[in-house]
Amino acid sequence: MRAVGRRGEAGVDRGIRRRFRDGDPEAVRLVYRSYGRLVYAVAYRVLRDGGLAEEATQQTFMKAWRAAGSLDEDREMAPWLATIARRVAIDVRRGEARRGADPLESVAPGDPALTSQPESAEALHGVWEVRRALGELPPDEEEVVRLQHFEGLTHTEIAQRLDLPAGTVKSRSFRAHKRLAARLVDVQE
């Protein structure tokens, strides 16, 4: 069922590649077990961060699963997966670079954003609604949003502070922002 590749990594035979292409969940698990270390190594080489490499590994296998229909069952999967992993890792690195935010301390004390009052009752109501919506989030999601927006931390920094995988932090952030957007539809309008 499995074969060992040139560098010692486990590979999968043609039948498993065919089953993977056809979406068989067990074949997907076998491919992950066989190539997970390779994909992680490629991602780590690009990212130089274990948490981000784990996230890129997960994304790589999701992309591979979605693109499985294009897999040539007669070819070894390692080069195909390594190419996907490299592209995903580059995308993750670019995403992290864009996520950088200036901490609140970098804003000058006299900056109007810090010293001005809301101009109207509607603006004050909007601030109150945002705070209320934030307080209604599950504690783990609220903590991620606060660290992200009030302390200006990136997902990687939050993951380090909370001792969580970066993927977990990103998932919590995504869910929290989705909940906030749904609760604040009236305020946005």
Side-chain angles (χ1 to χ4, degrees):
M1 187 177 273
R2 291 188 196 178
V4 176
R6 287 179 304 198
R7 296 186 190 137
E9 72 267 4
V12 295
D13 64 26
R14 185 172 189 254
I16 294 172
R17 290 192 297 266
R18 181 183 313 116
R19 288 174 39 212
F20 178 86
R21 186 193 63 207
D22 295 340
D24 177 1
E26 182 57 29
V28 173
R29 280 190 281 280
L30 289 171
V31 167
Y32 184 85
R33 277 191 224 124
S34 296
Y35 296 104
R37 294 176 99 175
L38 168 72
V39 169
Y40 178 85
V42 170
Y44 188 83
R45 186 175 298 153
V46 172
L47 296 165
R48 298 285 182 215
D49 179 284
L52 291 177
E54 287 175 12
E55 177 185 340
T57 298
Q58 291 175 357
Q59 287 183 27
T60 296
F61 280 100
M62 288 300 296
K63 282 189 181 272
W65 177 69
R66 288 183 189 125
S70 67
L71 176 67
D72 180 353
E73 68 187 56
D74 293 324
R75 293 187 162 195
E76 173 56 39
M77 292 181 77
W80 182 66
L81 287 169
T83 300
I84 295 171
R86 185 174 180 284
R87 288 178 182 158
V88 166
I90 289 169
D91 288 345
V92 167
R93 184 175 59 199
R94 286 179 185 151
E96 282 297 306
R98 283 192 299 266
R99 291 233 19 93
D102 294 330
L104 187 58
E105 294 79 34
S106 70
V107 179
D111 189 295
L114 295 177
T115 59
S116 63
Q117 294 293 321
E119 295 179 16
S120 66
E122 290 94 17
L124 188 57
H125 176 71
V127 169
W128 181 83
E129 286 293 327
V130 169
R131 287 184 179 168
R132 184 184 58 75
L134 188 60
E136 291 175 359
L137 290 174
D140 56 344
E141 292 176 16
E142 180 182 359
E143 183 175 30
V144 168
V145 170
R146 287 188 184 281
L147 290 171
Q148 193 173 358
H149 293 285
F150 298 124
E151 291 194 35
L153 300 181
T154 65
H155 287 145
T156 303
E157 293 167 334
I158 295 169
Q160 290 170 347
R161 182 177 289 186
L162 300 178
D163 195 26
L164 293 170
T168 300
V169 171
K170 288 185 178 190
S171 296
R172 288 180 183 176
S173 176
F174 175 79
R175 284 192 310 268
H177 285 92
K178 192 172 181 178
R179 289 181 212 262
L180 288 171
R183 288 186 175 130
L184 297 172
V185 169
D186 296 334
V187 174
Q188 293 173 359
E189 294 173 359

